[in-house]
Amino acid sequence: MTEFEFDCLQKKIVSRSAFRRVGMRRGVALPSDRLNPAQLARRNGPLQVYRLGRPMTMAQFEAMPPDLQRDYLRRLQLRGASDEAVGRMLGISRRRLRQLKQRHRVEFDRPDTAAWQTFVQAETGRDGE
């Protein structure tokens, strides 16, 4: 028997023993596969919708996660918001707005009144949404 044939024989033996030990494999099963629809519904949380392209109140703003709060303030910055305009929209004082800006590292340094008015008017012009 040559060295090549001996090597093939050993590999065959190993493969046969592994097949007997492991057997036929099934697909991967997850714990949630065996849950009925009612149990699945209990595992899912309530749906949250955040409309970052619209004006909102401070209560709506605080209900958002911190990463979305930062994103919303940056979107306001791009829409030409000023410190006073954002404070009026959210209904907060200058001091509270300053704390908010420091926490999220956002500066409203390029105010554009026309773009801001378009943003605010677009929301008030909608009916029923």
Side-chain angles (χ1 to χ4, degrees), residues 21-65:
R21 189 178 74 240
V22 175
M24 299 298 282
R25 293 188 179 180
R26 291 184 235 155
V28 176
L30 299 174
S32 61
D33 291 344
R34 295 184 188 93
L35 298 179
N36 62 30
Q39 291 170 327
L40 278 174
R42 280 196 304 265
R43 289 188 68 172
N44 296 333
L47 177 67
Q48 297 290 328
V49 177
Y50 302 107
R51 300 182 187 265
L52 301 181
R54 298 181 177 178
M56 61 177 63
T57 63
M58 190 61 185
Q60 294 168 330
F61 180 79
E62 288 176 338
M64 292 192 303

